[in-house]
Amino acid sequence: VKEEALALGFDLVRITSAQSFSEDQKIALQRIDDGLMDGLPWYNAARVRRGTEPEELLPDAKSIICLALNYFPGPRKEGPTGQIARYARGRDYHRVMKRKMRDLVAALNEAFGTTVAARWYVDDGPMLDRAAAARAGLGWFGKNSNILTSELGSWVFLGQIVTDMDLEADSEIRKTCGSCVACIDSCPTGAIVAPYVIDNNRCISYQTIENRGPIPPELRPKMLDWVFGCDICQEVCPVNRKAQPTAEPSFANRGLEVIDLAKLLDLTDEEFKKRFAGTPIMRAKRVGLQRN
C-alpha cells in the first residue's frame, strides 16, 4: 500500500484503524457549542458525528490510509503587494488529491486482484482529517491546530482513504510543540485563543475566504497584506524551517506569489476567471477578492 502511494507522488503515507474518533468528536462538538465555528454552517454536529464514525462512511470499514502531499512552493516574496496563502497558488488541491487517491485505489485493486471497498476524502468531506493523520502517526497537532510532520512541517495537504482492507496500523508520534508559542504570539488577530484552539471568526483565512459579508472593522487593520488566506502561523513555526519545495507540478507557482492590489481592483469577472481559473482562489469570487 505504501509503495503504491509513494509511486503515485504522495510524500507521506501512514495507516490507522477505522475505530471511532470519540475523543476528537467531543472536542469538535465543544468547539461548535462554544461558537468557535460560527460562520461555517456546513460544519455542524451531524457532520462531525458522521465524520468521526468511519463505519458510517463505509460499512465494514477496517482501515484508514492517511496521505500527505507537499505543497510548499518556496519562501515569501516581500513587496508592496497583496499576499495569497501558498496552498492556493497552484491547482485546486481537492482535484489533485482525489485524482491521486482514486488512482491509488485502482492500483490496489490490481495489486490484490480484487475490488477494494473504499471511500476517499480531502478536507471537503466529513472526516476529521487531522484527527486521522495524528492517530496514524503522520504528524502531531501544532498549537495552531495544523498537523506538523517531521519530514515536511505543516505545508502538506491531507487525504484519507477509508477501506475494508485489514491493514497493520502505524503508531502515533509522541511529539509535541513543548513550550513554543510562536504561532500564538505571531497571529495578528489573536485567532489562536488557546493552544490548539482557533476562533474561526478572528482567523484571517476565514475572513478572506469564507466570510461573504463585511470584514469586522476592528480586524481590518490587523489583516496586513493578506488578500486570500494567511500563512503567518506556519511561517513562524520552527518545524517548518526544514520545508522543501514541492515536486508536484500542479502546485508550481503560477505568478501568484504576490498580487498587484491596484490591478486587482480593476479586474473584470472575465479577467478574474482567466487569471485564477483552476485555483482555490475562485472560492472567494471576484467581489470577495476585491473586498479583501
Side-chain angles (χ1 to χ4, degrees), residues 130 132 197:
R130 288 170 291 178
V197 182

Side-chain angles (χ1 to χ4, degrees), residues 36 38 187-193 198-207 216 218-219 222-223:
L36 297 174
D38 286 357
C187 180
T189 59
I192 310 175
V193 295
I198 311 296
D199 183 345
N200 183 60
N201 282 284
R202 300 194 64 82
C203 182
I204 293 174
S205 288
Y206 167 76
Q207 291 295 338
E218 67 273 16
L219 293 182
K222 300 177 181 180
M223 296 177 66

Side-chain angles (χ1 to χ4, degrees), residues 14 16 56 82 85 129 134 155-156 173 186 200 232 254 280:
R14 299 290 189 276
T16 188
E56 288 197 21
D129 54 352
W155 305 107
V156 293
I173 294 178
S186 298
N200 183 60
I232 292 174
R254 303 172 61 188

Side-chain angles (χ1 to χ4, degrees), residues 109-212:
N109 285 338
E110 183 175 347
F112 292 114
T114 185
T115 300
V116 174
R119 297 286 301 273
W120 48 89
Y121 301 96
V122 194
D123 61 0
D124 57 350
M127 174 158 280
L128 271 60
D129 54 352
R130 288 170 291 178
R135 194 168 79 184
L138 200 66
W140 70 97
F141 276 100
K143 291 178 182 175
N144 59 4
S145 83
N146 283 329
I147 287 294
L148 305 179
T149 71
S150 299
E151 301 87 347
L152 300 167
S154 60
W155 305 107
V156 293
F157 294 127
L158 302 174
Q160 307 81 45
I161 298 176
V162 184
T163 176
D164 64 348
M165 292 188 295
D166 193 2
L167 304 172
E168 182 179 354
D170 291 296
S171 301
E172 292 187 42
I173 294 178
R174 300 300 179 186
K175 282 191 176 183
T176 70
C177 295
S179 60
C180 180
V181 290
C183 59
I184 297 175
D185 292 343
S186 298
C187 180
T189 59
I192 310 175
V193 295
Y196 318 106
V197 182
I198 311 296
D199 183 345
N200 183 60
N201 282 284
R202 300 194 64 82
C203 182
I204 293 174
S205 288
Y206 167 76
Q207 291 295 338
T208 57
I209 301 172
E210 301 291 344
N211 180 16
R212 302 303 184 193

Side-chain angles (χ1 to χ4, degrees), residues 190-266:
I192 310 175
V193 295
Y196 318 106
V197 182
I198 311 296
D199 183 345
N200 183 60
N201 282 284
R202 300 194 64 82
C203 182
I204 293 174
S205 288
Y206 167 76
Q207 291 295 338
T208 57
I209 301 172
E210 301 291 344
N211 180 16
R212 302 303 184 193
I215 294 173
E218 67 273 16
L219 293 182
R220 295 174 189 176
K222 300 177 181 180
M223 296 177 66
L224 308 178
D225 56 354
W226 295 98
V227 295
F228 188 92
C230 178
D231 284 335
I232 292 174
C233 67
Q234 296 192 86
E235 290 175 338
V236 301
C237 178
V239 179
N240 282 333
R241 291 172 183 165
K242 62 183 72 174
Q244 298 295 319
T246 179
E248 172 56 52
S250 298
F251 303 143
N253 277 323
R254 303 172 61 188
L256 301 180
E257 299 93 325
V258 290
I259 296 293
D260 186 305
L261 297 180
K263 292 181 179 178
L264 177 63
L265 290 174
D266 291 332

